Amino acid sequence: MKITVVRDILEANERIARQNKDLFDGSGTLVINLMSSPGAGKTTLLERTIDALKDELKMGVIEGDIQSSEDAERIAKKGIPVVQINTGGACHLDGNMIRDTLKEFDLEGLELLIVENVGNLVCPAEFKLGEDCKVMILSVTEGDDKPSKYPLMFRESEVLLVNKVDLLPYVDTSLERITRESLKINPALSIFELSCKTGQGMESWYQWLREKTRAKLGDVDL
Ligand SMILES: Nc1nc2c(ncn2[C@@H]2O[C@H](COP(=O)(O)OP(=O)(O)OP(=O)(O)O)[C@@H](O)[C@H]2O)c(=O)[nH]1
Ligand SMILES: [Mg+2]
Ligand SMILES: [Zn+2]
């Protein structure tokens, strides 16, 4: 019985996510579902990315948190459209919550929409939002055993950003193990090692985003 209920919830969510995706495809907006455990650096990555790209890409952000509007306030300071979702307890975003925010955006004028999911390494990967791709962050302070212990997010993601490499001298985390075990789970995963604090490695991530956004706009030659 329980299994049927869970399957129904996921199927209902997928229907709404597909409708969201149709809208995003119609406007040519690239949508990224950004996921990680709490504190891995999602909002910091967004702040840096907006600073670097807001003059070349029309960007918007949806912030997902159980409670509080702190992250949306950080993004609003950057002068781009942002909507905060408070799940009121739920530990992930779903398609319905995204649909409810879309009236706040002018999708036709938006080239890149990044959704910061609730900090959680588990179920955000199970619920589609209508995104083009999932990007996850793992920070080096979380340890190198995370791919083998929480494989679903690594399997579902197109990009893995290994953040906080500036802290590597202080932890026993092996980048080699993270890379090897992540690729074992998902051989197609693109992996970027970076530090949102020092800026190291960020340019490759920006370049990936530029190319992906242009491809969605059907404007690959620009
Ligand atoms: N040393 C170091 N600290 C970082 C880096 N990136 C982020 N931080 C710090 O990590 C902490 C958490 O960063 P956030 O960006 O708020 O993390 P988050 O993933 O958005 O957190 P939640 O929204 O709560 O899930 C902050 O104190 C950041 O300054 C980094 O590359 N190096
Ligand atoms: Mg955040
Ligand atoms: Zn959840």
Side-chain angles (χ1 to χ4, degrees):
M1 275 303 271
K2 182 158 181 282
I3 289 169
T4 315
V5 172
V6 171
R7 199 187 56 213
D8 286 351
I9 291 170
L10 286 173
E11 280 176 4
N13 182 65
E14 292 215 3
R15 260 196 314 279
I16 298 167
R18 262 197 305 277
Q19 292 165 3
N20 292 344
K21 175 89 167 52
D22 285 345
L23 284 176
F24 299 139
D25 287 351
S27 60
T29 308
L30 180 77
V31 180
I32 290 182
N33 181 359
L34 180 62
M35 308 176 295
S36 79
S37 54
K42 297 179 293 302
T43 313
T44 312
L45 180 91
L46 284 173
E47 290 170 321
R48 281 233 167 217
T49 304
I50 294 163
D51 283 342
L53 297 182
K54 78 170 178 186
D55 291 340
E56 33 178 315
L57 296 177
K58 294 189 193 100
M59 301 173 69
V61 168
I62 297 174
E63 281 294 343
D65 283 290
I66 291 176
Q67 195 176 309
S68 110
S69 56
E70 281 180 60
D71 282 0
E73 285 159 22
R74 286 167 64 183
I75 300 302
K77 284 194 189 129
K78 302 290 179 188
I80 67 159
V82 57
V83 174
Q84 176 79 53
I85 297 174
N86 280 146
T87 64
C91 47
H92 58 267
L93 295 175
D94 64 26
N96 219 1
M97 297 175 196
I98 298 302
R99 182 169 64 184
D100 287 346
T101 68
L102 295 184
K103 57 182 179 310
E104 310 289 337
F105 293 100
D106 166 25
L107 284 185
E108 293 298 328
L110 212 56
E111 294 166 330
L112 172 62
L113 177 63
I114 304 185
V115 182
E116 177 178 339
N117 217 311
V118 178
N120 175 349
L121 209 48
V122 187
C123 48
E126 288 183 56
F127 287 81
K128 291 190 177 135
L129 309 178
E131 71 272 23
D132 293 282
C133 56
K134 295 180 168 72
V135 170
M136 70 168 293
I137 305 179
L138 178 72
S139 56
V140 300
T141 50
E142 294 168 73
D144 50 23
D145 56 355
K146 294 303 167 288
S148 60
K149 291 171 81 171
Y150 302 89
L152 182 66
M153 197 171 284
F154 292 83
R155 190 172 303 128
E156 288 285 318
S157 295
E158 194 170 321
V159 174
L160 165 63
L161 303 174
V162 182
N163 188 28
K164 308 195 188 181
V165 295
D166 57 291
L167 297 178
L168 275 171
Y170 310 103
V171 290
D172 292 329
T173 298
S174 157
L175 287 182
E176 189 275 328
R177 184 178 176 205
I178 291 174
T179 304
R180 178 167 35 85
E181 298 198 351
S182 300
L183 290 175
K184 202 155 68 188
I185 294 161
N186 178 359
L189 193 63
S190 298
I191 304 177
F192 301 107
E193 295 163 3
L194 47 83
S195 166
C196 291
K197 186 182 171 88
T198 66
Q200 181 191 334
M202 298 293 287
E203 191 48 47
S204 312
W205 156 244
Y206 300 149
Q207 197 48 33
W208 182 90
L209 261 184
R210 285 186 188 103
E211 284 166 17
K212 198 83 182 169
T213 309
R214 282 175 196 150
K216 175 92 190 218
L217 280 169
D219 212 3
V220 247
D221 294 335
L222 259 187

